[in-house]
Amino acid sequence: MMKAVVKAKPDVGAVLMDVPVPEIGEEEVLVKVMAAGLCGSDVHTYLWEESMHYKKPYLPLTLGHEFSGQVVQVGKQVTTVNIGDRILARPTHPCGTCWFCRHHQPDNCTHRATSGITKNGAFAEYCAIHEDQVIHMPASMTWEQGALIEPLGVGASCVLRSGLGYGDFVVISGPGTIGLCALLAARAQGAGRIAIYGTRKDQQRLALAKELGADYTFIVEDCDIVQEIRALTDGQGAEVALECTGVPSLLQTNLSLVRSKGTVCCAGIYSSPTVLDLDSMVRSSKRIVGSYGSFLFEQAVQWITSNSETAEKAMRIISHRSSIREFEQAVQRSIHQENIKELFVRFD
């Protein structure tokens, strides 16, 4: 048996409980989890927001999809992974047969199995994953860096899907983990000036954003964010806005922040629908682009291991390291915006 954080029923909450150590299939490996990140979607699932109700058929479900660890068992048909390998995991295993998989778009697979989302995940002592989910960690990479690769990839994927051009003015909503990872990626991608905004509760996060390379930070209760961005861009607005909060009303705000033919790229998970002024969007030829998850795991590994400055900055996003026994406290810190990135590093 092992300890695991389990979403046991379709209601608010999750419980720490004893569950059996996973049995692996012939194409799977068993991983001893060494570091696992608390994601915003884990918090949405804990709160059982409407956008998470699709998980009901998969309950009870062990949460956690951002993780690194060491392989302790391999299935009979596994050929690329060995016992003792240090690995991080891409959360999703595509089916390989649907239209998207056959057309080389596995990140859009319609039958994908995802750790911590539709199958048991990594807030536990051990996690079983398919061989194809394994990414080998370079010897220089730490367990904590390995657990950060997924959110770094999400931020980088959002930047690439936005079409960010060299020298563009970029505005980011939300200085949480994904917003800060998007900030690092936007700077690496050649952004000109970067502004990021949040609430008064985000002051610690905004201060870190400044240290990580943001040119401007704003607290929305203390200013008119649209007017502030327009003042910085000769009245035109930003070329790109990266929406990283999942707050429905901010989608319209970000549309107002970008100039004609500008792009809003959304990486946040929204708890409810929103209302948009589509006429204004159409008349200004603006774009809204969705960006779900990451397709840049290997690239993110190379990015971190080849650039010590970026690696150091990425590690500063981690504000708390704790045990899965403290899951409830970690979630409450996230709900009240008292943390930046929570990592679980103890699992017994």
Side-chain angles (χ1 to χ4, degrees), residues 11-84:
D11 199 355
V12 176
V15 293
L16 180 69
M17 57 191 297
D18 291 315
V19 301
V21 173
E23 295 184 5
I24 61 171
E26 292 188 348
E27 297 179 344
E28 292 184 316
V29 303
L30 185 66
V31 181
K32 180 176 175 57
V33 181
M34 303 302 290
L38 179 66
C39 176
S41 64
D42 296 316
V43 178
H44 292 308
T45 300
Y46 173 92
L47 295 171
W48 202 239
E49 294 175 349
E50 185 177 351
S51 61
M52 298 292 112
H53 289 188
Y54 74 92
K55 295 181 181 179
K56 185 176 180 180
Y58 308 107
L59 304 184
L61 176 73
T62 299
L63 302 179
H65 60 272
E66 306 172 359
F67 67 101
S68 63
Q70 190 161 31
V71 176
V72 296
Q73 187 179 355
V74 299
K76 293 180 180 179
Q77 296 187 25
V78 172
T79 60
T80 62
V81 185
N82 298 302
I83 292 175

Side-chain angles (χ1 to χ4, degrees), residues 36-282:
L38 179 66
C39 176
S41 64
D42 296 316
V43 178
H44 292 308
T45 300
Y46 173 92
L47 295 171
W48 202 239
E49 294 175 349
E50 185 177 351
S51 61
M52 298 292 112
H53 289 188
Y54 74 92
K55 295 181 181 179
K56 185 176 180 180
Y58 308 107
L59 304 184
L61 176 73
T62 299
L63 302 179
H65 60 272
E66 306 172 359
F67 67 101
S68 63
Q70 190 161 31
V71 176
V72 296
Q73 187 179 355
V74 299
K76 293 180 180 179
Q77 296 187 25
V78 172
T79 60
T80 62
V81 185
N82 298 302
I83 292 175
D85 285 356
R86 301 171 69 255
I87 65 102
L88 61 96
R90 63 179 90 240
T92 297
H93 174 233
C95 72
T97 59
C98 72
W99 188 93
F100 290 103
C101 286
R102 297 197 313 271
H103 289 79
H104 311 292
Q105 300 177 46
D107 51 314
N108 289 324
C109 172
T110 52
H111 304 297
R112 58 184 178 262
T114 305
S115 300
I117 307 294
T118 63
K119 68 174 184 176
N120 288 328
F123 291 166
E125 293 180 65
Y126 298 94
C127 180
I129 60 174
H130 193 277
E131 177 183 15
D132 290 346
Q133 291 178 254
V134 168
I135 297 175
H136 288 88
M137 288 173 50
S140 62
M141 179 170 280
T142 68
W143 299 121
E144 293 184 357
Q145 288 173 335
L148 278 180
I149 290 299
E150 198 273 348
L152 283 167
V154 170
S157 296
C158 180
V159 167
L160 289 187
R161 285 187 168 120
S162 75
L164 169 69
Y166 187 79
D168 281 353
F169 190 109
V170 182
V171 59
I172 301 171
S173 51
T177 299
I178 301 305
L180 295 174
C181 288
L183 164 62
L184 293 176
R187 183 60 73 204
Q189 188 67 9
R193 292 178 293 164
I194 302 175
I196 185 167
Y197 68 93
T199 69
R200 287 174 183 160
K201 291 183 178 180
D202 287 318
Q203 292 189 52
Q204 177 190 8
R205 298 173 173 186
L206 289 169
L208 178 58
K210 193 77 172 178
E211 295 173 9
L212 295 184
D215 298 287
Y216 314 100
T217 61
F218 297 100
I219 296 173
V220 291
E221 294 96 332
D222 298 338
C223 69
D224 182 328
I225 187 62
V226 176
Q227 290 304 314
E228 294 284 355
I229 298 304
R230 290 188 182 278
L232 291 169
T233 56
D234 297 324
Q236 298 302 308
E239 280 85 6
V240 171
L242 307 177
E243 208 303 282
C244 301
T245 69
V247 176
S249 62
L250 291 187
L251 185 51
Q252 181 62 58
T253 299
N254 280 282
L255 277 171
S256 301
L257 291 174
V258 297
R259 62 182 63 197
S260 296
K261 296 186 178 180
T263 298
V264 177
C265 190
C266 304
I269 301 298
Y270 296 86
S271 59
S272 62
T274 189
V275 176
L276 296 177
D277 179 7
L278 292 178
D279 188 59
S280 173
M281 185 187 79
V282 170

